[in-house]
Amino acid sequence: MTTCPHPERSGPADLLYAVRHGQSTGNAAFAAAEIDGTAVIPSDDMAISLTGLGERQAAAVGRWLAALGEDEAPDMVWCSPYLRAGQTWQIAERELGAAGRPLPCHRVDVRLRDRDRGQLKHLHPAVVRERFPGEPAKEARDTLRYRPPGGESFLDVAERLRGVLADVEADHRHRRVLIVAHDAVVLFFRQILERLTDADILAIAGIGLAGNGSITTWRRAAGGYRLLAYDDRSHLPG
């Protein structure tokens, strides 16, 4: 992060935004595999890039941010180290600059990475059932605590995110913080910020995770944060 121009203020952030990266080549490949089972899904999670649609979604996020009032626009961005998240922010930042808006400070943090599914990474469920026949039943028994071979559980993700939020809370220079990351990150920020139970999180996930390019927003309230919008896609191209 470059030298911060923002003065020290009293109190932590008032507004938090979480953006899921735009559609990636991995997302597109997985969707194709759902249809015909033949698509090759990229295996290097760090290097998966955006598709053309993902780039358009990222630009739409940037225009949405550029339309915010001065007292709502983010003054700090925390970004996942994965390429697809970094590209999403770079494109959104370009839109902010084109609109003549001040650019926020920027930080990349490895704790915002996507969930590591270890040996099951990027494998279609049908392939998992074939190669690792005992794993689906283990996951079904305890979805949040299940740890794939060589990977991490959802609760492992939540634990590292608590560290991120502690750092956000300790930072009194930035009042409006944007996080650019992944669907699991958005989901477990919800659990932490809104003090949701495991059952609550499973119910939300059952309805649907945050979509590519979606925006989730919280505002500080008494004792924590209040959800203003989850998985908002109204700004995205049709």
Side-chain angles (χ1 to χ4, degrees):
M1 184 172 66
T2 57
T3 302
C4 174
H6 302 105
E8 184 79 13
R9 301 180 176 94
S10 60
D14 298 319
L15 275 171
L16 296 178
Y17 303 99
V19 170
R20 184 186 176 195
H21 61 80
Q23 186 196 60
S24 71
T25 55
N27 297 143
F30 198 90
E34 288 280 280
I35 297 172
D36 59 24
T38 61
V40 176
I41 299 173
S43 59
D44 185 355
D45 216 10
M46 292 283 292
I48 293 173
S49 62
L50 296 182
T51 63
L53 173 59
E55 292 175 352
R56 295 192 295 275
Q57 291 169 334
V61 169
R63 290 190 292 271
W64 185 89
L65 293 170
L68 293 173
E70 290 185 8
D71 60 346
E72 294 184 322
D75 52 16
M76 178 67 189
V77 174
W78 290 60
C79 191
S80 160
Y82 285 14
L83 178 61
R84 55 193 182 274
Q87 288 177 327
T88 297
W89 169 240
Q90 290 166 7
I91 293 169
E93 183 183 44
R94 193 179 309 145
E95 293 290 332
L96 278 175
R101 300 299 301 271
L103 300 182
C105 295
H106 176 238
R107 170 175 176 168
V108 174
D109 196 297
V110 69
R111 294 171 295 177
L112 292 172
R113 66 190 183 276
D114 205 357
R115 179 195 177 198
D116 183 356
R117 286 183 57 82
Q119 295 179 42
L120 310 189
K121 188 179 299 180
H122 301 303
L123 295 182
H124 189 274
V127 177
V128 172
R129 289 192 294 271
E130 177 184 347
R131 298 184 188 174
F132 302 88
E135 297 303 314
K138 293 179 185 178
E139 184 168 19
R141 282 196 295 271
D142 195 347
T143 303
L144 298 185
R145 291 171 179 78
Y146 167 72
R147 198 175 275 127
E152 60 181 346
S153 71
F154 282 114
L155 295 189
D156 292 333
V157 175
E159 188 59 33
R160 52 180 162 85
L161 295 181
R162 287 188 178 90
V164 172
L165 286 171
D167 288 347
V168 169
E169 290 279 289
D171 175 10
H172 289 183
R173 291 185 178 274
H174 303 102
R175 304 307 293 269
R176 300 172 302 276
V177 176
L178 170 66
I179 293 156
V180 184
H182 311 273
D183 53 1
V185 170
V186 177
L187 182 65
F188 286 94
F189 271 138
R190 286 205 60 181
Q191 182 172 47
I192 299 164
L193 292 169
E194 301 167 43
R195 301 177 182 178
L196 302 177
T197 66
D198 289 352
D200 293 332
I201 286 299
L202 288 171
I204 293 168
I207 295 170
L209 298 175
N212 293 119
S214 67
I215 301 171
T216 298
T217 307
W218 300 266
R219 185 181 296 277
R220 175 168 289 282
Y225 287 89
R226 177 171 60 91
L227 181 71
L228 299 184
Y230 173 58
D231 189 26
D232 180 13
R233 308 182 200 185
S234 59
H235 56 288
L236 295 177

